[in-house]
Amino acid sequence: MPKKDRKRLQVVISDEQDALLTRTAYELSSPERLISKSEVVRLAIEKIAKELGEGENIDEYRAILDQTEPSDDS
């Protein structure tokens, strides 16, 4: 992706979420290609957007969001 097309987003995540990102990046990596945590986040964004566009898992995602701590983004 060309640098000019990228946006930077900073979010606060828990230690548990960071561990999940690290583990997922490790599991997706291979000796030929290391996957970064940023790539995992981009993949997750695309996967969620695609599923929501197809009407899949909406209630499941809402339930997960209801279980998380309120955001400081208000």
Side-chain angles (χ1 to χ4, degrees), residues 5 9 16 18 20-21 25 28 33 37 56 72-73:
D5 291 339
L9 174 67
E16 180 181 333
D18 184 56
L20 287 170
L21 271 177
L28 290 172
R33 177 140 171 12
K37 291 192 277 186
E56 297 178 16
D72 291 7
D73 296 343

Side-chain angles (χ1 to χ4, degrees), residues 7-74:
K7 304 280 185 205
R8 186 168 295 276
L9 174 67
Q10 293 182 340
V11 296
V12 178
I13 61 174
S14 68
D15 288 340
E16 180 181 333
Q17 291 167 325
D18 184 56
L20 287 170
L21 271 177
T22 301
R23 186 180 79 216
T24 304
Y26 177 79
E27 289 175 3
L28 290 172
S29 293
S30 68
E32 297 82 29
R33 177 140 171 12
L34 295 177
I35 304 297
S36 70
K37 291 192 277 186
S38 294
E39 290 174 293
V40 172
V41 170
R42 287 192 291 270
L43 176 65
I45 290 168
E46 289 180 23
K47 181 174 177 20
I48 291 169
K50 180 181 177 192
E51 288 180 2
L52 291 177
E54 295 171 354
E56 297 178 16
N57 300 323
I58 292 173
D59 292 333
E60 181 180 336
Y61 287 127
R62 286 180 179 152
I64 291 169
L65 291 170
D66 288 342
Q67 295 173 5
T68 61
E69 295 179 22
S71 172
D72 291 7
D73 296 343
S74 304

